[in-house]
Structure formats: C-alpha cells, structure tokens
Amino acid sequence: MTTSTFTPSQEQAYATHPEKKIALYYTVTGLIFLLVGVLLGPLQALNYAGIDVYKYLPFLKSYYQGLTLHGVLNALVFTTYFICGILLYLPARELNLRPNLKFAWFTYWLMNFGVVLAAIAILGNNASVLYTFYPPLKGSPLFYIGAALLVASSLLVGGQTIYMWTGWKRQHPGKVTPVTTYMSVATWFMWILASLGIVVEVVVYLIPWSLGWTPTVDPLLARTLFWYTGHPIVYFWLLPAYVSWYAFIPRQSGGKIVSEPLARLAFGLFLLLSVPVGLHHQFTDPGISNTWKLIQMCLTFAVAVPSMLTAFSVGASLEYAARLKGGKGLVGWMGKLPWQDASFTAQVLAMTSFIFGGAGGMVNASMSLDHVVHNTAWIPGHFHITVGTATTLTFFGMTFWLLPHLTGKKLFSPKMALASCWWWFIGMMTFALGMHWEGLLGIPRRAHIAALPAEQLAQYSQNAHIPMVLTGISGMLLLVGAILYYTVVAGTLWGNQRDVKNAPEIPFSESLTPTESRRSVRVLDRLWLWFGVAFLIVLGAYLPVILPMLHNPTLVPGMRLW
Ligand code: HAS
Ligand code: HEM
Ligand code: CU
C-alpha cells in the first residue's frame, strides 16, 4: 500500500497512526463476512418455525451447505478478524508502540488467503461439514487448509502482540502492564494454548486424510482434539468483549474501573482454566472415562467463577458511574446511565443477554442435565445469547466509537445505531426463548425440520406451536436489526467528511484506586509463568484422556453425505 493513492484527508487520518488502517481492515473485513453469514440466519430461524425457504434458493444445494456457511463465517471467521484487529491495535496504542506494519499486513493477507480457500470449498458444495467438521464427514482439503491458515494467522497476530508487550516490559523494568494490554495479552496466551488441539487435529490428521495420503481417521480422537480447542475458543470470543466491559464501559458511562485488580484476576483465571474443560461437549461420547468427564465438569464450574466476578465487578462500575451522576435507589440508579449512547447501550444489552447465556451454560455443564438438552435446539438457543449477542452485540457497540476513531468520520445516524442494538437484543432474546423451549420439547438441532413429511412436521407444530412461532418471528426481528446496523456501518464508512481532529479517542478508563504497588497485581503480571502453569494443568486434564485413544485407535474411512 503506498500513500500516494490516498486522498489528502485519508493521509491525514492515518498519518500519525498508520496502525489504524490495519485495525480498520481487520474489523471491517470481519463485519463483511458476518453480513453474509447473518443473512442466512433468518432462513434457519424460519426452518425452526416449520417454513422451508431453502428450496427457493438455487445457490444453496442443501440446508447443510447454508448452515456450514453460517457457522463458519459467523463463529469462526468474523470473530477471528475482529479480534485480531482490536487485540493488536488496543495494546499498541496503550503502550504507545507501533506494531511491525509489514508483518501485520502479511498476517491480514494470509488470513484472507485461508478464508478464500475455505470459501471455495464451501461454496462449491465440497465441504458441507458444519463449523465443527466432525470426521468421518470428509470435506475438500481446501477447507481444512483454509481453516489452518485462519488459525495460523491469528496466532501470528497474537505472537506479534506478545512480542510487543515483552519489548515494553524490557524497557520498563518493574512497571506493571497497563490493564487493557494485560487483558489482551492474557487472552492471546490463552488462545495460543487453546489452539493446540485444532492445530494437531487439522495438520496431523485431517489435511493428510482429506488429501488421500492416509486412508482412515479416528473420529473420537478428532472430536476430542476439536473440543480441546472448541471450548476455549468461546473465551477467545468472549474475552475481547470483557476487555471492553472492564476497560471502556466505566469511562463510557461516566465513571471509573472500581476494581482493576479484580479484572486482572479474572483474566488470570481464564488463562489457567479455559482449556481443561472441553469434555463437557463430549458427555455423551463413548470411549471416554466418566471420571475424566466429571473432573472436567468440575473444572467447567470453576471457569464460570471469573465470569461471575466480571458480572459483579462490571455491575459495580456501572453503579458507581450512575451514583456519581446522582442515581439513587436499589435499581433507580440505572436510569442515570447513558442509554442514549448506542455504544454503551449495545454493550449493556449484550451483558444482559449473557446473564441468561451463562445460566444456560451452567445447565449444559451439569452432566445429568446435559443429557436432556444435548443436540437439541436448546444448544443454538444457548450460543446465540453468548457468541451471537454477548460477543457480537458488544463488537457492534465497539464499532460505534471504533469506526469513527479509526477513520475520522462521524458515526452515521446515532439514532439508527441505537435502534439497531435494541432490535438485535430483542430479536436474540426472542430467538433464545423459542429455541431453548423447542429444545426442551425434544426438537433436535441441525435438523432441516421444515422439509419433513407433512405428518411429521405437523406433530412438531402441534407440540411446539408457540416456540416455533417465536423463533420464526425472531428471525425477522434480527433481519431488521442487521439491516439497521449495516446501514450505520456503510453510512459511516462511505460518509466523506473526515474530521480527524475531533474523532473520538479510545475510551480507556481510569482505575478508582492506584494498583501499581499491589502485590497481587505484580504476581498476576507474570503472564509467562501463568502460561506455563496453565500448560501443566492442561497436560494433567488431557493426557489421561488422549493417551488411551492413541493406544486403541478406532479408524474409519471418510464419507461424504451431501
Ligand atoms: Fe457454552 C455449548 C457450557 C459460555 C458458546 N457454548 C456451546 C456452544 C457454543 C457455546 C458455540 O457445559 C455449542 C457448540 C456446538 O456447536 O456444539 N458455556 C458453558 C458454560 C459457560 C459457557 C459453563 N458458551 C459460553 C460462551 C460462549 C459459548 C461465553 C460464546 C461466546 N456451552 C457449555 C456446554 C456446552 C456449551 C456444556 C455443550 C452443550 C452440549 O450438550 O452440546 C460459562 O462460561 C458461562 C459463565 C457465565 C456467567 C454469566 C456472567 C454474567 C455476566 C453479565 C453481567 C451483566 C451485567 C449487566 C453486569 C456465569 C458477566 C448489568 C445490567 C444493568 C442494566 C446494570
Ligand atoms: C446456528 C439463526 C446469527 C452463530 C443457527 C441456527 C439458527 C440460527 C436457527 C440453528 C440451525 C440448526 O441447528 O439447524 C440465526 C439468526 C441470526 C444468527 C436468525 C441473526 C440474524 C448468528 C451470529 C452468530 C451465529 C451473529 C455468531 C457470531 C451460529 C453458529 C451456529 C448457528 C455457530 C451453529 C451451526 C451448526 O450447528 O453447525 N443460527 N443466527 N449465528 N449460528 Fe446463528
Ligand atoms: Cu464449552
């Protein structure tokens, strides 16, 4: 990219901080992929209302091709781009360092290359394997190679952030890492440890097998490696939202971070406990000892603790800000929060959805209860108010200041931005109600129920009439929310008045009390050490599960069911 192709105002926008441009590209590319994925969502919601729209779509060969696109683009692609954008940019700005831009652009283009490969496979109907790509379903090698490149590029971005932080540490001996950087770096360390499973699964097993170099694959081992990464990946999606809730929301609501040490403790705990819990996705899998399922169940309850800390800590920051403005009463203070600010409101609505998402997660984590809800519509109900709202709506909220900050352009229609987040929130809460309810009535997930023979569909409709109607309506509410949101994004990016000087700054919040001298903060700051401890815990929780699988492999050939 040479600056000569820019208009003068563009040059001005990026002159002082060229890293703004890479952050913009990462986040906006993520949002574009999300748009494609999200447009398929309402069709799936209609399926769960018994209405089949898929048959009218000539470009999709099956429900599963659409569902693969939806899951991959939304959960894997959008999140990864967006997170790479912000978790590189925010620490760089907080530490006042410039990332190596050549390298950053290289990782961006590598990621694009990977996603294009995977997209060719999915769009050509050669990888309708869903975003979990469980073998023995066998997709085109392009899909697995693309996925590997996506993960590899994210790890390179993480490595670059850690490298930058290590350099800062060396130059500032004895200083405690500023809190946003601390949270970002802890997240990257967690992701590096977490990604090991999927890297081994894809590189060692699936790529050679899909290329025909090895004739068979072990589905149980592959699933176990997948969920080794598949659980902590949800914290890779959640923790960047927590960064914003802890570090930016206090300032955005007019207050301060009431307990910065607690924020650091929460991230330290996530680093230690996010990974050794993946078996809670495999409670019904045969061939894994119940003892280890139970141990990982208990560890799952433990990893909910830092989220509960977050609920109280972020809640306290909100209350502190509201009381500063004269808020009174047990709940009356909430009225003093800046509900007219779309960025703030989007994120508090995201938090609210997560209270229910978290509660449902505890149900799933309880082995005996999971047997009731596993593989039913309850599960998509759960994760649309976690990744689909807690994460996605928080990211929407962040873009309302981030895009103006990066481009120097004004937010297009703050009113529409505010409306879009309410539509999204109400849509997702309705969706979650409908889908959780359908699940309890035994309707399976990943099922093209609208295409069932009429008598069978009528049975579902009779038993689950209300939740099916709710789910159908929610899809339409969400479509409106998405249209409003993307209008705001497009309007902002295409608006041509740049006012770089008056662009919003990053809303870094102050801490209520000084934390530099706290012993606990200094101990938590030794992230390399905690990374090592986390690795040992993971070995303890996973070696006894994986070693028996390596000794008694169950090898099967691949199959293509679509
Ligand atoms: Fe989950 C399945 C358990 C969190 C995503 N989860 C999934 C799947 C996805 C997913 C995508 O144990 C499906 C995978 C598939 O395709 O098969 N989940 C949990 C538990 C938690 C949890 C225990 N999940 C998440 C997050 C996700 C996510 C976060 C994405 C971002 N999940 C499970 C289990 C399964 C599962 C089983 C497998 C089920 C099966 O059978 O297949 C915990 O981390 C949750 C802890 C959260 C809390 C809530 C804290 C609340 C906060 C908000 C505070 C609000 C405030 C607002 C301050 C304890 C922090 C105040 C408001 C004012 C107005 C003032
Ligand atoms: C699956 C609807 C947005 C991630 C589903 C399903 C429905 C749905 C009905 C279940 C399909 C099935 O089990 O057969 C919607 C609607 C959306 C939306 C109406 C908004 C317009 C999102 C967002 C994300 C997301 C924003 C994540 C960022 C997923 C994932 C799956 C899924 C990971 C699982 C795919 C699978 O089982 O393989 N969606 N969704 N969705 N959705 Fe969404
Ligand atoms: Cu999980």
Side-chain angles (χ1 to χ4, degrees):
M1 258 344 111
T2 56
T3 44
S4 59
T5 54
F6 296 163
T7 63
S9 68
Q10 266 176 316
E11 276 178 24
Q12 202 192 354
Y14 305 117
T16 50
H17 294 288
E19 62 275 22
K20 280 186 175 177
K21 198 160 179 221
I22 180 87
L24 182 71
Y25 271 58
Y26 262 120
T27 47
V28 173
T29 311
L31 289 173
I32 293 170
F33 286 124
L34 178 71
L35 174 61
V36 180
V38 154
L39 288 176
L40 291 159
L43 310 181
Q44 290 153 199
L46 286 175
N47 169 55
Y48 278 88
I51 302 167
D52 192 10
V53 196
Y54 269 76
K55 59 182 175 208
Y56 303 114
L57 298 177
F59 54 90
L60 288 178
K61 297 277 184 303
S62 72
Y63 181 73
Y64 294 100
Q65 192 188 6
L67 192 55
T68 304
L69 265 177
H70 179 82
V72 169
L73 288 179
N74 293 357
L76 304 181
V77 176
F78 153 64
T79 48
T80 307
Y81 274 90
F82 199 91
I83 292 163
C84 285
I86 56 176
L87 289 197
L88 175 66
Y89 180 71
L90 297 172
R93 292 303 305 274
E94 190 180 36
L95 299 179
N96 217 356
L97 291 174
R98 175 149 309 152
N100 180 327
L101 292 176
K102 276 211 177 108
F103 188 72
W105 281 109
F106 164 72
T107 56
Y108 171 76
W109 286 108
L110 185 67
M111 195 175 281
N112 288 344
F113 179 59
V115 171
V116 168
L117 291 187
I120 291 174
I122 301 173
L123 294 173
N125 197 28
N126 290 317
S128 297
V129 290
L130 303 180
Y131 84 115
T132 44
F133 47 88
Y134 295 144
L137 285 183
K138 190 176 186 177
S140 148
L142 289 184
F143 176 80
Y144 305 109
I145 296 170
L149 289 177
L150 174 70
V151 174
S153 344
S154 75
L155 292 174
L156 292 175
V157 177
Q160 183 170 20
T161 314
I162 292 173
Y163 179 76
M164 215 165 52
W165 166 73
T166 317
W168 182 90
K169 280 293 241 186
R170 229 179 289 118
Q171 282 165 359
H172 300 82
K175 278 219 146 223
V176 168
T177 311
V179 70
T180 303
T181 307
Y182 180 81
M183 294 189 280
S184 309
V185 172
T187 306
W188 281 123
F189 270 123
M190 188 282 292
W191 176 234
I192 289 171
L193 183 60
S195 63
L196 281 179
I198 212 167
V199 168
V200 173
E201 182 198 7
V202 171
V203 175
V204 177
Y205 296 103
L206 301 188
I207 292 179
W209 167 69
S210 66
L211 285 167
W213 298 344
T214 47
T216 51
V217 69
D218 182 341
L220 182 62
L221 177 61
R223 284 168 69 89
T224 307
L225 290 170
F226 181 85
W227 286 117
Y228 167 104
T229 300
H231 180 78
I233 203 175
V234 313
Y235 297 130
F236 182 54
W237 305 332
L238 179 72
L239 297 190
Y242 277 11
V243 169
S244 177
W245 298 358
Y246 275 117
F248 303 149
I249 281 291
R251 167 92 171 263
Q252 291 183 294
S253 49
K256 293 187 177 177
I257 309 176
V258 290
S259 178
E260 208 192 272
L262 212 59
R264 294 171 188 267
L265 176 64
F267 275 75
L269 289 173
F270 275 117
L271 174 55
L272 290 180
L273 296 171
S274 289
V275 185
V277 298
L279 287 191
H280 67 226
H281 292 264
Q282 296 182 276
F283 286 148
T284 57
D285 280 19
I288 300 173
S289 98
N290 269 340
T291 310
W292 285 100
K293 287 182 182 171
L294 284 169
I295 291 173
Q296 294 210 8
M297 175 182 93
C298 295
L299 286 167
T300 305
F301 291 129
V303 75
V305 171
S307 281
M308 294 187 199
L309 293 181
T310 303
F312 288 104
S313 181
V314 172
S317 287
L318 290 174
E319 183 174 349
Y320 173 78
R323 293 203 189 276
L324 277 185
K325 293 184 198 159
K328 298 224 157 39
L330 197 62
V331 286
W333 55 267
M334 288 183 197
K336 291 282 178 189
L337 292 170
W339 296 106
Q340 291 312 312
D341 174 353
S343 174
F344 170 85
T345 301
Q347 298 187 61
V348 176
L349 293 178
M351 293 173 199
T352 309
S353 80
F354 194 50
I355 297 174
F356 301 95
M362 307 310 288
V363 171
N364 303 344
S366 316
M367 194 157 147
S368 47
L369 294 180
D370 184 57
H371 288 111
V372 180
V373 297
H374 184 61
N375 276 343
T376 71
W378 167 287
I379 303 297
H382 161 68
F383 61 72
H384 283 80
I385 45 173
T386 50
V387 64
T389 317
T391 298
T392 304
L393 194 50
T394 297
F395 289 177
F396 285 180
M398 291 179 81
T399 56
F400 296 148
W401 66 260
L402 185 70
L403 297 182
H405 163 80
L406 295 175
T407 58
K409 296 180 177 185
K410 264 215 170 90
L411 182 68
F412 175 81
S413 183
K415 278 212 174 110
M416 196 186 289
L418 188 61
S420 74
C421 55
W422 279 102
W423 279 86
W424 191 270
F425 171 72
I426 294 170
M428 278 300 185
M429 294 307 280
T430 312
F431 178 83
L433 178 62
M435 291 291 275
H436 278 94
W437 191 347
E438 286 192 40
L440 290 179
L441 295 173
I443 297 187
R445 69 181 284 202
R446 296 180 159 176
H448 192 187
I449 60 167
L452 284 172
E455 322 82 74
Q456 265 171 290
L457 180 59
Q459 256 180 1
Y460 275 148
S461 312
Q462 244 171 12
N463 287 340
H465 186 65
I466 301 174
M468 285 174 74
V469 171
L470 285 173
T471 307
I473 294 175
S474 74
M476 301 307 108
L477 298 175
L478 282 159
L479 184 61
V480 176
I483 293 171
L484 293 176
Y485 174 70
Y486 278 98
T487 309
V488 173
V489 171
T492 306
L493 294 176
W494 283 328
N496 46 20
Q497 287 158 324
R498 287 181 199 260
D499 184 2
V500 178
K501 284 209 186 76
N502 292 314
E505 277 310 313
I506 304 173
F508 290 120
S509 310
E510 278 176 49
S511 167
L512 188 58
T513 48
T515 46
E516 185 82 0
S517 56
R518 299 272 286 258
R519 208 179 119 75
S520 58
V521 168
R522 297 189 160 269
V523 173
L524 281 165
D525 214 40
R526 302 173 68 180
L527 281 169
W528 279 106
L529 172 73
W530 299 121
F531 179 58
V533 176
F535 185 67
L536 293 179
I537 299 178
V538 169
L539 284 185
Y542 262 107
L543 277 186
V545 177
I546 288 183
L547 287 180
M549 291 180 194
L550 295 175
H551 281 128
N552 305 295
T554 317
L555 298 172
V556 298
M559 47 179 105
R560 177 175 166 140
L561 296 179
W562 63 92

